[in-house]
Amino acid sequence: MKETIERFKKQYFPEVSNQDWNSWHWQLKNRFVQPNSLKKVFNLSATEWSAINSTQCRLPISITPYYAAVIQATQESRILQKTVIPDEEEFVRMPDESIDPLIEKEYSPVPNIVHRYPNRVLFLTTQNCAVYCRYCTRSRMVGDDEYHITPEQWQEGINYIKNHTEIHDVIVSGGDPLYLTDGKIEGILSQLRQIKHVQIIRLGTKIPITLPQRITDEWVEMLRRFHPVYLSLHVIHPSEITEEVKISLAKLADAGIVMGSQTVLLRGINDQPEILVDLMEKLLCCRVRPYALFICDPVVGSLRFRTTLQTGLTLIEHLRKNLSGYGVPQLIVDPPGGKVALSPSSIISRNKGGYVLKNGCGEEIYYSESSLA
Ligand SMILES: *Cc1c(COP(=O)(O)O)cnc(C)c1O
């Protein structure tokens, strides 16, 4: 992997110094955006090429040179490529799909706050990401400059949180909040920390994966001043866990940031048991606790990625058998009314004296409650 990334840099950016390559600003400035530059780097199918040139895309296309190199370095590079390059299939709208599948707008009391559960809120701080995922659940606003989130709107969100003492957990998300400058993130966090009832702050981000250069020593030093800080890491495939990513995650873990993963289950990308076991083991080694495996939301154009709930349940059963308990995420489906955690049924039958249960290895065992009856 390391050599392939090196080779990619030599081939497409021969004049660029390592210092520039390792700078997150350089990476953002040199993202692959235009059809012709995408064509030079990626092996595109006819339907991908036509989608790239279409005006129908709801999300922009943008891929950091680093992440492009990771895609090239994976054995089946088309797998990861599919998640960031549009395809004509993206323009198909199925009857069960929606532009806002979680009806977040209905739960938004002020712009960019989603308050669906009493004690926690989602706070959308930017519409931008470093790299756009084609299955994005928030594609109604993400990457859309007309949706530009302003500092005045941050203030409105912060005031809302201040006025609602029941909010104990703020999920700073977007877009990707790590896209913002150090100063802006510091501004938001320090205001949130001044609110007495806010206990934990979570950052929801994919940037440690698509732009690990963003995790600088200075930024991590700043972050740790706002503890307890949690980070929810969007990660989908074991090939994403490169040396660069390992170093960045180690910095965050060393600074005491508690990290959990969020993986979207994607058909043909990561819906194989071996791929998920490999991913979860790699995450555990990076001190990231697998937190959620999400059923892909039925956002418009997501048909090519969606799996059935049964696929998720079968995979979770496999993970239970083959991983440390710490490595098994919750399987989550997010219908409009709110998240539901699904588990394969472990109660087979029940009688007066107890239960017939199925354990993690699939064996039936009897659990007695006769003395409690
Ligand atoms: C997912 C989500 C949360 C966080 O849920 P947890 O189960 O605490 O991780 C909070 N608010 C909204 C609107 C969400 O969609």
Side-chain angles (χ1 to χ4, degrees):
M1 175 69 92
K2 211 175 157 78
E3 296 81 60
T4 332
I5 294 178
E6 262 308 296
R7 215 177 312 132
F8 180 93
K9 177 181 169 298
K10 278 215 185 86
Q11 184 177 349
Y12 296 103
F13 300 97
E15 315 278 287
V16 171
S17 67
N18 283 337
Q19 195 186 351
D20 277 346
W21 176 267
N22 292 323
S23 139
W24 68 282
H25 297 288
W26 183 90
Q27 287 281 336
L28 281 182
K29 227 180 282 159
N30 290 279
R31 283 181 289 178
F32 295 104
V33 175
Q34 299 302 334
N36 282 329
S37 67
L38 290 161
K39 194 178 180 179
K40 266 186 213 136
V41 173
F42 296 99
N43 175 17
L44 301 170
S45 71
T47 50
E48 285 174 332
W49 179 243
S50 122
I52 286 172
N53 287 289
S54 163
T55 51
Q56 288 185 67
C57 288
R58 286 163 306 113
L59 278 168
I61 307 166
S62 154
I63 304 165
T64 55
Y66 162 80
Y67 197 66
V70 173
I71 292 173
Q72 299 274 327
T74 53
Q75 290 223 305
E76 308 95 343
S77 66
R78 293 201 51 83
I79 287 186
L80 280 187
Q81 178 174 321
K82 267 167 73 174
T83 68
V84 292
I85 296 276
D87 187 281
E88 278 182 346
E89 275 182 84
E90 198 172 296
F91 309 142
V92 176
R93 181 176 185 153
M94 301 307 284
D96 59 351
E97 292 176 357
S98 146
I99 53 164
D100 182 10
L102 312 184
I103 54 167
E104 290 189 331
K105 275 200 165 152
E106 287 185 28
Y107 290 96
S108 186
V110 297
N112 307 309
I113 289 278
V114 184
H115 196 177
R116 185 165 66 175
Y117 308 105
N119 65 325
R120 53 210 193 273
V121 290
L122 195 59
F123 183 17
L124 310 180
T125 53
T126 170
Q127 76 283 9
N128 294 316
C129 289
V131 170
Y132 295 100
C133 310
R134 306 321 297 178
Y135 50 88
C136 179
T137 201
R138 228 164 268 137
S139 52
R140 69 174 189 282
M141 52 78 78
V142 161
D144 182 356
D145 282 335
E146 284 179 23
Y147 195 94
H148 183 68
I149 301 177
T150 61
E152 293 74 51
Q153 289 175 343
W154 291 339
Q155 210 47 58
E156 220 181 318
I158 288 164
N159 288 341
Y160 179 86
I161 296 166
K162 211 178 275 174
N163 293 331
H164 287 79
T165 53
E166 73 275 21
I167 297 170
H168 294 170
D169 175 356
V170 178
I171 304 163
V172 179
S173 183
D176 198 314
L178 274 59
Y179 188 93
L180 298 169
T181 61
D182 290 11
K184 285 185 172 146
I185 300 175
E186 185 172 10
I188 292 170
L189 296 184
S190 67
Q191 291 216 59
L192 289 174
R193 261 294 156 250
Q194 282 162 30
I195 304 172
K196 282 275 176 322
H197 52 268
V198 172
Q199 295 169 358
I200 67 170
I201 298 174
R202 278 196 248 184
L203 296 167
T205 176
K206 192 171 180 177
I207 278 185
I209 299 293
T210 53
L211 180 63
Q213 298 79 7
R214 168 66 187 103
I215 313 303
T216 61
D217 294 337
E218 308 79 67
W219 185 73
V220 173
E221 275 312 303
M222 179 274 283
L223 203 56
R224 66 191 302 170
R225 299 206 330 265
F226 300 103
H227 269 321
V229 176
Y230 283 62
L231 188 146
S232 291
L233 184 71
H234 178 181
V235 54
I236 55 169
H237 197 277
S239 299
E240 293 181 321
I241 314 290
T242 62
E243 281 312 307
E244 286 87 337
V245 167
K246 285 179 188 166
I247 291 167
S248 296
L249 295 178
K251 281 185 194 174
L252 291 163
D254 287 346
I257 314 294
V258 183
M259 293 186 285
S261 65
Q262 315 195 105
T263 300
V264 183
L265 185 58
L266 301 166
R267 180 155 53 91
I269 314 279
N270 61 10
D271 60 346
Q272 297 294 316
E274 310 76 45
I275 290 182
L276 286 182
V277 167
D278 189 16
L279 173 61
M280 301 310 159
E281 286 180 342
K282 287 198 161 81
L283 289 171
L284 287 177
C285 291
C286 293
R287 290 176 279 173
V288 179
R289 164 81 158 96
Y291 180 63
L293 178 64
F294 287 110
I295 298 291
C296 184
D297 290 325
V299 66
V300 170
S302 62
L303 184 66
R304 63 182 173 136
F305 295 116
R306 287 166 61 197
T307 68
T308 60
L309 295 191
Q310 187 54 54
T311 301
L313 286 165
T314 307
L315 286 165
I316 282 289
E317 257 185 325
H318 182 88
L319 298 188
R320 288 237 176 96
K321 274 183 208 154
N322 293 284
L323 276 172
S324 149
Y326 270 110
V328 184
Q330 302 180 78
L331 178 64
I332 306 282
V333 61
D334 206 349
K339 289 189 176 67
V340 180
L342 300 169
S343 5
S345 178
S346 50
I347 299 180
I348 290 177
S349 63
R350 177 181 184 178
N351 62 26
K352 237 183 161 183
Y355 293 83
V356 179
L357 303 177
K358 189 162 78 171
N359 71 13
C361 297
E363 299 151 350
E364 287 185 19
I365 39 174
Y366 188 71
Y367 177 77
S368 168
E369 272 188 352
S370 57
S371 57
L372 303 174

